[in-house]
Amino acid sequence: MRKRTEPVALEHERCAAAGSSSSGSAAAALDADCRLKQNLRLTGTGAAEPRCAADAGMKRALGRRKGLWLRLRKILFCVLGLYIAIPFLIKLCPGIQAKLIFLNFVRVPYFIDLKKPQDQGLNHTCNYYLQPEEDVTIGVWHTVPAVWWKNAQGKDQMWYEDALASSHAIILYLHGNAGTRGGDHRVELYKVSAGGIHTCSLGWGDSVGTPSERGMTYDALHVFDWIKARSGDNPVYIWGHSLGTGVATNLVRRLCERETPPDALILESPFTNIREEAKSHPFSVIYRYFPGFDWFFLDPITSSGIKFANDENVKHISCPLLILHAEDDPVVPFQLGRKLYSIAAPARSFRDFKVQFVPFHSDLGYRHKYIYKSPELPRILREFLGKSEPEHQH
């Protein structure tokens, strides 16, 4: 019995030993497995971190884009609101439209003293202030012919007034809107036209009073009468540029109706009437196709008493007429000047007088205010003003 029992015990011991060794192997396997999983987790965390950073950066970029779009949308809404509000504002306040037409508050060049035309190279020019009405003062520059340059040095206003009686013609120049009679292109024109002619430039840059079509026409009439009272039988020509052509035709029509016409009318860059000019002006491009454009923008001009109807005035003018216009004029389109000529040429009032249209090719680059640069201009003026027989040419 003992012999049989002993092997059993030994077998149990071997089994226990085997069990213990298998337990140790399992534990070791479990430890290895745990370390492997831990390593995998660590490795996985390291790879996830860059992805998270990239996601965060993308979110920030999208946020910035969204904020930029929101700001841009606000700006667009503000611009759109202003675009829609302006027509209503002009309709409710017609005076705004009147200011935009005259632009008398734009007094460029800013840093010149209009009392000293010599500062602009006009050493044979005197500054006057005339008073057509009690509360109205208008400034005038009187430039004597260039041949009197030396004699004019240091002379006072009385000498200049007496000089109007000399045997030289006189041009009454009516400039366009904005700026003053001291504008660069205007000064250059005085130099060209004053070769053998007096030039009296009527300007509103430092004048006192509120501009209006009626008031400006009355001021021009006052200056014309002032010149005629001192010039005797010397020829007096009226020259209007741009908006000044509206004042010029108003003035000359009135002079013809009272049977004291000027010796000639010169229109540089003229339009037909202020409504057609406003519709053609480059500033109107953004509203030209706006619903109710005429009602919003053009009717307020008429209700303000502003017409400048050159096309109607020329039918009542009886004196020689010269029209100068550059084909590349961006402010007053060339076709408006051509249209005005086509209205004036067959008019009965001009049947005994010369009507001439002189275009300047776009390649010359004279645009709206540089016709004075034309080397042909003195000859054109000399030939036109030297003839008074009926002649229609272009």
Side-chain angles (χ1 to χ4, degrees):
M1 292 294 291
R2 284 178 193 161
K3 290 181 181 178
R4 188 174 181 177
T5 305
E6 186 177 354
V8 171
L10 290 171
E11 185 177 352
H12 280 298
E13 288 176 1
R14 284 194 298 269
C15 288
S20 64
S21 65
S22 66
S23 300
S25 300
L30 285 172
D31 285 344
D33 187 54
C34 288
R35 285 195 298 273
L36 179 62
K37 288 180 178 180
Q38 186 175 7
N39 289 337
L40 288 173
R41 281 197 299 271
L42 290 172
T43 306
T45 303
E49 282 178 353
R51 286 200 299 272
C52 293
D55 290 344
M58 186 176 294
K59 287 180 180 179
R60 285 194 297 271
L62 290 173
R64 284 195 297 269
R65 289 180 184 176
K66 186 176 181 181
L68 182 62
W69 167 245
L70 288 174
R71 287 194 295 271
L72 182 60
R73 191 166 63 175
K74 287 181 181 178
I75 293 172
L76 289 174
F77 277 124
C78 288
V79 171
L80 181 62
L82 184 63
Y83 176 79
I84 295 173
I86 285 176
F88 289 94
L89 185 64
I90 289 177
K91 184 65 179 179
L92 293 173
C93 306
I96 295 176
Q97 189 76 318
K99 287 187 176 295
L100 292 176
I101 290 173
F102 295 116
L103 290 177
N104 59 301
F105 54 90
V106 181
R107 300 186 178 184
V108 291
Y110 293 102
F111 305 108
I112 69 169
D113 186 353
L114 293 174
K115 296 178 181 177
K116 298 178 179 179
Q118 59 270 21
D119 291 347
Q120 308 308 307
L122 296 173
N123 294 322
H124 48 309
T125 300
C126 184
N127 180 69
Y128 302 154
Y129 287 104
L130 305 180
Q131 195 168 12
E133 298 179 63
E134 184 177 350
D135 297 326
V136 176
T137 302
I138 50 177
V140 177
W141 276 3
H142 175 193
T143 303
V144 297
V147 293
W148 286 6
W149 182 86
K150 290 185 179 180
N151 292 336
Q153 303 308 301
K155 297 298 193 297
D156 59 9
Q157 179 175 336
M158 188 62 68
W159 182 88
Y160 276 85
E161 289 188 28
D162 292 341
L164 289 171
S166 65
S167 57
H168 293 274
I170 301 114
I171 288 177
L172 172 57
Y173 179 76
L174 307 169
H175 67 67
N177 65 351
T180 69
R181 58 190 178 277
D184 293 341
H185 64 285
R186 293 161 187 164
V187 169
E188 293 303 319
L189 182 64
Y190 309 153
K191 293 176 181 178
V192 172
S193 60
I197 300 177
H198 294 270
T199 302
C200 292
S201 173
L202 169 58
W204 292 274
D206 59 345
S207 300
V208 178
T210 302
S212 66
E213 179 176 358
R214 180 180 176 277
M216 293 168 77
T217 303
Y218 182 80
D219 292 347
L221 179 63
H222 177 82
V223 176
F224 177 85
D225 289 339
W226 181 88
I227 291 171
K228 287 298 291 183
R230 291 158 177 77
S231 62
D233 295 330
N234 293 328
V236 179
Y237 311 124
I238 308 298
W239 185 318
H241 173 243
S242 191
L243 189 69
T245 64
V247 182
T249 62
N250 282 348
L251 168 63
V252 176
R253 178 178 178 176
R254 183 171 297 190
L255 293 175
C256 291
E257 288 174 347
R258 76 176 194 185
E259 299 183 352
T260 58
D263 293 273
L265 171 62
I266 302 167
L267 301 178
E268 178 188 359
S269 305
F271 49 86
T272 47
N273 58 69
I274 197 63
R275 288 178 71 97
E276 288 193 359
E277 161 55 14
K279 185 175 287 188
S280 304
H281 198 281
F283 288 164
S284 72
V285 170
I286 59 174
Y287 284 107
R288 199 167 293 165
Y289 303 104
F290 191 89
F293 175 84
D294 287 14
W295 187 77
F296 278 110
F297 292 96
L298 303 185
D299 290 349
I301 298 176
T302 305
S303 65
S304 298
I306 304 173
K307 297 180 180 178
F308 289 120
N310 290 339
D311 50 356
E312 184 62 29
N313 287 338
V314 293
K315 299 175 184 177
H316 304 275
I317 289 174
S318 51
C319 71
L321 171 65
L322 172 64
I323 297 177
L324 310 170
H325 214 137
E327 292 179 351
D328 58 338
D329 191 330
V331 178
V332 181
F334 177 77
Q335 61 265 24
L336 292 187
R338 173 73 76 177
K339 183 178 179 180
L340 183 63
Y341 169 77
S342 68
I343 294 171
R348 294 184 61 187
S349 61
F350 284 109
R351 62 189 174 187
D352 296 326
F353 300 98
K354 180 180 180 182
V355 179
Q356 184 177 355
F357 182 86
V358 179
F360 295 87
H361 198 275
S362 57
D363 290 345
L364 297 170
Y366 294 155
R367 297 172 67 79
H368 182 60
K369 56 186 181 182
Y370 300 113
I371 288 177
Y372 74 83
K373 292 183 177 181
S374 172
E376 297 296 314
L377 184 59
R379 179 190 59 79
I380 292 169
L381 294 175
R382 186 168 57 252
E383 291 181 358
F384 175 79
L385 298 176
K387 298 178 181 179
S388 59
E389 67 273 12
E391 183 182 351
H392 293 183
Q393 53 180 275
H394 57 91

